[in-house]
Amino acid sequence: MFLGTHEPRLDEKGRLFLPAKYRDELSGGLVITKGQEHCLYVFPVEEFQRITEALRSAPVTAKAVRDYSRVFFASASDEVPDKQGRITVPAGLRAYAGLERDCVVIGANTRLEIWDSQAWARYEAEQEQAFADLSEEVLPGVL
């Protein structure tokens, strides 16, 4: 499970330090791909394989499945962190997420998300009230 908020920076080569607490879990490899709201999703290989299987079993006749799969897999890049715990974020994914220097890496349960720091601040500010309003709808009887 991935939790928390971290604020690494991209270096001039497009590399990003993974949060130290997740380096062991991701040391065998990971997959980076486009996420919603112009962030990047970072999946451990096993989780990416689980999603792949779910999409493989979805009907290819469904246009939404085809559309989602095309973007999801076409933008995916498999990476292995270096000895310092850095990953290289491909240029196309950096451009999609607007990543230049200051980033935010958030834990999102089964994945990490990489955001441009200003984009994350805007998203978080916009969603604060919705978060409060949705707790009963999303988690009825839990919170």
Side-chain angles (χ1 to χ4, degrees):
M1 180 177 357
F2 297 104
L3 305 170
T5 302
H6 312 272
E7 298 180 353
R9 289 186 165 174
L10 278 174
D11 69 13
E12 64 282 347
K13 295 180 181 178
R15 296 176 300 192
L16 182 83
F17 278 101
L18 292 170
K21 66 193 265 182
Y22 302 126
R23 288 182 192 161
D24 286 343
E25 187 172 352
L26 298 171
S27 65
L30 53 91
V31 177
I32 308 171
T33 192
K34 289 180 178 179
Q36 277 71 37
E37 292 83 39
H38 289 273
C39 73
L40 302 179
Y41 289 169
V42 178
F43 295 102
V45 171
E46 300 79 23
E47 179 64 12
F48 191 80
Q49 289 170 338
R50 187 190 68 73
I51 294 166
T52 298
E53 288 303 316
L55 286 169
R56 183 176 290 147
S57 65
V60 74
T61 55
K63 184 175 181 340
V65 171
R66 291 192 312 272
D67 291 344
Y68 186 85
S69 293
R70 286 175 182 141
V71 173
F72 189 74
F73 292 110
S75 65
S77 177
D78 54 335
E79 303 291 330
V80 176
D82 67 14
K83 290 180 176 145
Q84 288 80 39
R86 295 175 301 193
I87 55 170
T88 299
V89 180
L93 290 175
R94 290 194 312 265
Y96 168 79
L99 303 178
E100 292 182 16
R101 179 103 174 116
D102 294 325
C103 299
V104 174
V105 176
I106 65 163
N109 194 1
T110 61
R111 68 180 182 273
L112 294 172
E113 293 182 0
I114 303 172
W115 290 77
D116 168 73
S117 62
Q118 291 179 349
W120 173 248
R122 282 190 305 274
Y123 177 83
E124 196 172 30
E126 291 168 3
Q127 295 302 315
E128 186 60 37
Q129 187 59 50
F131 173 74
D133 294 343
L134 288 174
S135 65
E136 185 59 35
E137 184 179 326
V138 175
L139 297 167
V142 175
L143 295 174

